[in-house]
Amino acid sequence: LRRATDATAPPARPAPPVAAAQPSRTGATVTAVGVLLLAVTLGIAMDPAAAGIASGGASVDRVSTGHTTTVDVVMKNTRFSPDTIEVPVGDTLVINLTNDDEMVHNLVLATGVVSGSVAPGTSRQVDAGIVGADVEGWCSIAGHKVLGMVLTVVAVGAEPQSGDDSPAMDHGSASAGGASSAADDLDLMREPDADFVARDPALGAAEAETVHALTMRVEDVETEVSPGVTQTLWTFNGTAPGPTLHGKVGDVFDITFVNDGSIEHSIDFHAGALAPDRPMRSINPGESLTYRFTATRSGIWLYHCGTMPMSVHMANGMFGAVIIDPPGLSAVDREYVLVQSELYLGAQGGEADADKVAAQFPDLVVFNGIANQYGARPLTAKVGEKVRIWVLDAGPNVGSSFHVVGGQFDTVFTEGDYLLRDGGSTGTGGSQVLDLAVAQGGFVELTFPEAGSYPFVSHIMSDAEKGARGVVLVSP
Ligand SMILES: [Cu+2]
């Protein structure tokens, strides 16, 4: 190791003078190269990660000045302040990190140094090691980098870097940390394992009670979203979509919202009209709030997390449906509910890739959270039965054009009223697609004329090919 260091280390040089108001420099000036090399060698032996070896060794050839630059950095409004730190090359950088925000943050440096979570109102000291080159840092909580929570460490007096491939300036995505995406493992033709159980698409009857008291608990759950592809989703009550709530006009929903996740979250029920200030506020892990609303209007309503960036929170699983039956809803033989959403895959087992979300480039478009699940585990019906399918488009970014191949809808209810009921005024009207913008919902009714396999899709065909399809298996 010493030989290698001798061969590659540039000659020690005094750090250039830097006019910097904030950093304070401490420590004795080291002049003896032998002592310096010994210090570097010992440092690497004691803490390889601090020397940058674990992150690819971009700065192994740095030479310590023996000085320490200490900088105070405040995290507030999803920003680092200051967001640029100038450090003489060769100095050890120590960052006193204070979180003055109301949500959890952290600092990740491209060298592999991580602060760990910093709770609101707390501080933490981060030893960034010896700075040999410019280093990018960011908050790795999903979406915060996209919101601009980026920190740049400038190594003053460093040699210009060659090429764009330096790990010290990795511009990889915040959530994936520049790692490969689980999208590389996608195989939309792959069948699920034999023991795979699809989410039950059946909608049960609305509960008789008029006050629905329930707990909605945020939990981080690793979920297989397509065969062989898992993501750690932020869920309401363990699944994405969260539970489907079902009631009647006038019912009260008395919700206890509990955040057992790892970052702050919130909940927003479109099914109730109220001032959002208090019930929709974001709460930190370990906190809870009460959210009580009366469902005065019928339809299928979205609920979702409303914490910034909402796109990422929703893309990572935080959505679900509230169904309020319209008065006079006709009886049917079978009733299903399908919630369409998108997935923007981060690393295997990781969280949504915030950059893909911002670019609106989904890897998967799915019904009830899992790609193609009802291809392998079809919905069922019998010839001549009346079937109602509720559909909600949760997004966060892609609408739906819900269609049943080989089927025709004689009834369509969308966004609060019947677009078509029992064939309309002529009795012969039919509909081929339920057309939903993001956050819209409705239902269709149809009767299957003969036995067979009737695929259902979003007729936005590229989305069907990304997983927004299934089958209704109709038996005699
Ligand atoms: Cu959230």
Side-chain angles (χ1 to χ4, degrees):
L1 183 58
R2 163 128 189 209
R3 213 175 299 122
T5 309
D6 284 336
T8 58
R13 56 184 181 277
V18 175
Q22 289 176 0
S24 64
R25 303 185 64 206
T26 59
T29 303
V30 177
T31 52
V33 172
V35 173
L36 174 63
L37 286 176
L38 181 63
V40 170
T41 306
L42 282 175
I44 291 170
M46 289 161 62
D47 188 356
I53 288 175
S55 62
S59 37
V60 172
D61 63 348
R62 64 181 67 136
V63 174
S64 172
T65 59
H67 293 112
T68 297
T69 293
T70 303
V71 182
D72 294 335
V73 173
V74 172
M75 303 186 286
K76 189 167 175 62
N77 298 325
T78 57
R79 289 289 182 282
F80 292 104
S81 178
D83 61 4
T84 302
I85 300 172
E86 295 193 344
V87 183
V89 66
D91 270 22
T92 295
L93 173 63
V94 172
I95 300 171
N96 289 323
L97 202 56
T98 299
N99 185 357
D100 277 352
D101 224 336
E102 290 169 355
M103 64 187 87
V104 172
H105 290 301
N106 64 34
L107 172 63
V108 172
L109 296 176
T111 53
V113 172
V114 295
S115 68
S117 292
V118 185
T122 68
S123 296
R124 188 176 280 240
Q125 191 168 73
V126 180
D127 184 347
I130 299 164
V131 175
D134 294 353
V135 179
E136 190 183 11
W138 60 89
C139 175
S140 74
I141 288 173
H144 289 194
K145 186 181 183 188
V146 166
L147 289 173
M149 199 160 177
V150 176
L151 175 75
T152 303
V153 177
V154 177
V156 177
E159 302 284 330
Q161 292 178 51
S162 56
D164 293 328
D165 57 352
S166 165
M169 287 296 283
D170 181 7
H171 288 270
S173 80
S175 50
S180 64
S181 167
D184 298 340
D185 301 323
L186 269 182
D187 177 1
L188 282 163
M189 301 306 288
R190 183 170 152 190
E191 291 286 318
D193 294 342
D195 61 355
F196 170 74
V197 178
R199 179 189 172 104
D200 186 355
L203 178 69
E207 297 156 340
E209 66 205 22
T210 56
V211 177
H212 307 255
L214 74 155
T215 297
M216 298 286 278
R217 189 181 301 276
V218 179
E219 297 165 327
D220 296 356
V221 177
E222 189 163 341
T223 305
E224 191 169 24
V225 296
S226 181
V229 174
T230 67
Q231 295 282 274
T232 298
L233 301 178
W234 307 330
T235 72
F236 294 110
N237 290 1
T239 62
T244 299
L245 282 48
H246 190 190
K248 304 169 295 299
V249 172
D251 283 4
V252 171
F253 290 80
D254 200 351
I255 309 292
T256 303
F257 174 62
V258 180
N259 186 357
D260 278 348
S262 49
I263 60 172
E264 70 165 9
H265 294 293
S266 58
I267 195 163
D268 169 350
F269 288 98
H270 292 191
L274 45 65
D277 309 55
R278 293 288 298 165
M280 296 187 198
R281 72 186 188 273
S282 292
I283 58 173
N284 281 305
E287 296 179 344
S288 64
L289 59 77
T290 298
Y291 188 138
R292 189 180 170 95
F293 67 90
T294 303
T296 56
R297 297 185 184 279
S298 58
I300 178 169
W301 301 90
L302 179 65
Y303 68 81
H304 62 91
C305 178
T307 299
M308 290 223 304
M310 279 168 55
S311 57
V312 175
H313 283 247
M314 294 174 69
N316 209 48
M318 304 196 76
F319 55 85
V322 178
I323 294 178
I324 305 299
D325 289 342
L329 190 61
S330 51
V332 292
D333 299 297
R334 294 171 193 262
E335 199 163 11
Y336 293 111
V337 56
L338 301 172
V339 180
Q340 183 183 312
S341 65
E342 307 114 54
L343 285 149
Y344 303 78
L345 300 172
Q348 271 286 8
E351 295 165 349
D353 184 321
D355 292 335
K356 287 184 190 172
V357 178
Q360 301 187 25
F361 189 80
D363 295 300
L364 293 172
V365 182
V366 300
F367 289 118
N368 290 350
I370 299 174
N372 293 335
Q373 62 180 321
Y374 303 119
R377 305 287 184 272
L379 280 57
T380 56
K382 289 194 169 74
V383 173
E385 285 184 335
K386 186 85 156 177
V387 177
R388 175 180 299 133
I389 304 174
W390 292 85
V391 186
L392 174 71
D393 190 282
N397 296 323
V398 176
S400 185
S401 179
F402 183 76
H403 173 72
V404 177
V405 179
Q408 293 180 325
F409 311 142
D410 64 31
T411 297
V412 177
F413 178 100
T414 177
E415 286 291 289
D417 207 352
Y418 290 91
L419 190 63
L420 177 71
R421 191 169 195 181
D422 297 328
S425 59
T426 65
T428 62
S431 166
Q432 58 205 301
V433 147
L434 173 59
D435 157 26
L436 300 173
V438 174
Q440 290 189 318
F443 67 74
V444 296
E445 293 174 3
L446 74 168
T447 303
F448 295 93
E450 58 182 332
S453 294
Y454 294 74
F456 61 85
V457 294
S458 169
H459 219 293
I460 299 172
M461 295 316 315
S462 298
D463 295 340
E465 289 153 11
K466 289 179 178 177
R469 55 193 156 97
V471 170
V472 184
L473 185 60
V474 178
S475 56

